[in-house]
Every structure is written in structure tokens, then in C-alpha cells.
Amino acid sequence: MKRFRVFEPPDIVGASEKALFVRDGFSLVALLVPALWLLWHRLFLAAIAVFALDVLIGWQAGTKGFGLAAAALPLLIGLLVALEGPSLKAWKLRRQGWRETAALMASDRAEAEIRYYAGMAAGGWGEIRTHDTSPAAHLNSDESRPSGPAPSPLSD
């Protein structure tokens, strides 16, 4: 099972056919060719940064004592992109005004779409965890308030 994050366009209220499903997980392609993976997902600034780091590491690879680091650093950069690439994509969507409306578990994207639209048609209940991103929702939430009496500092 994979985790999918669902983003709705900024100009549409509720579930729409224009929703984007972002799989949140490790990407082998991003590990092997991180700059190309970032370009494919239109994350241009991150791709430029990764490419510049790769060039800098390659330039320094001939320096004495830098051999092991020159081999390990590109793999670490790829690992970072492979693990955090979907979060970068989600951050870019939120910055563009897209709303993250749900997070759900599914075996593939088709199943995620079925679960999302079926859950939203049924009122947003079921296995879908919807997110209310309005500031007022967090202020009125009882989840942030402790329940029960406050503990006494004198009791063990």
C-alpha cells in the first residue's frame, strides 16, 4: 500500500476531476538520476541546485583525499531527492494555491482515485483523512486542549 496526497485546484471548491494525486514515497529513478527526476516533475530550482552540486563534486573529485566523498555525496544527494522529492512537489503545489484535501492509502493511483471520489461522494467519511487548512479550524479544535484535570506538580 502506498500513501497518496490529494490536491484540489485553487479555483474549485470540493472534489473535482482536476484533482492531483501525489504518491508519497521513495523513488528509485530519483535516486539514480535526481536532476532529471526533478526536471520531469517541473521542480526547476531544485534541479538546478542538484545539477550545480553534482558539477561541484565532479570538479573536486580529482582533489587528493576527496575520492570517497566524491563517490558518496552524489548518492546521498540522490537519496535525499528520492525520499523528499514528493514533499517538494507537494510544497510547490501548495505555493501555487492548490489545497491538500486528503491523504489516503491505496495500491496504485487508480485505486486512490476510486477511494477519494467514493469517499467524497459519501460525505468525506471512510478511510479518507481530509485536511481543513483554514486557520480558524485549528483555533476551534478541541484536539489541542488537554482533557481532564491538570496534573499536580506535588504528586508523584
Side-chain angles (χ1 to χ4, degrees):
M1 296 293 273
K2 300 171 185 122
R3 181 174 180 251
F4 287 87
R5 296 161 75 175
V6 184
F7 291 87
E8 291 287 346
D11 56 344
I12 298 175
V13 177
S16 71
E17 292 184 8
K18 295 182 179 179
L20 290 179
F21 292 80
V22 178
R23 186 180 64 85
D24 197 13
F26 184 82
S27 172
L28 183 61
V29 176
L31 175 69
L32 299 176
V33 283
L36 291 178
W37 187 91
L38 290 166
L39 286 173
W40 179 262
H41 290 281
R42 302 180 60 86
L43 299 167
F44 298 117
L45 292 177
I48 291 169
V50 167
F51 182 73
L53 282 172
D54 283 342
V55 168
L56 182 66
I57 291 167
W59 178 58
Q60 289 294 319
T63 306
K64 187 175 181 180
F66 196 69
L68 181 62
L73 286 176
L75 288 175
L76 290 175
I77 292 170
L79 183 63
L80 178 67
V81 172
L83 292 172
E84 294 299 324
S87 295
L88 285 172
K89 189 174 179 180
W91 178 68
K92 178 186 174 192
L93 288 170
R94 279 193 302 270
R95 198 180 63 213
Q96 292 175 341
W98 289 69
R99 294 172 289 112
E100 184 174 0
T101 56
L104 52 104
M105 301 294 287
S107 59
D108 59 3
R109 184 174 178 219
E111 182 183 345
E113 289 176 357
I114 291 169
R115 286 183 181 212
Y116 176 68
Y117 291 119
M120 294 309 278
W125 303 106
E127 298 178 19
I128 297 175
R129 296 190 181 115
T130 58
H131 301 284
D132 188 356
T133 58
S134 64
H138 300 292
L139 294 175
N140 296 330
S141 173
D142 288 334
E143 295 174 8
S144 62
R145 297 184 195 128
S147 60
S152 171
L154 302 176
S155 64
D156 289 294

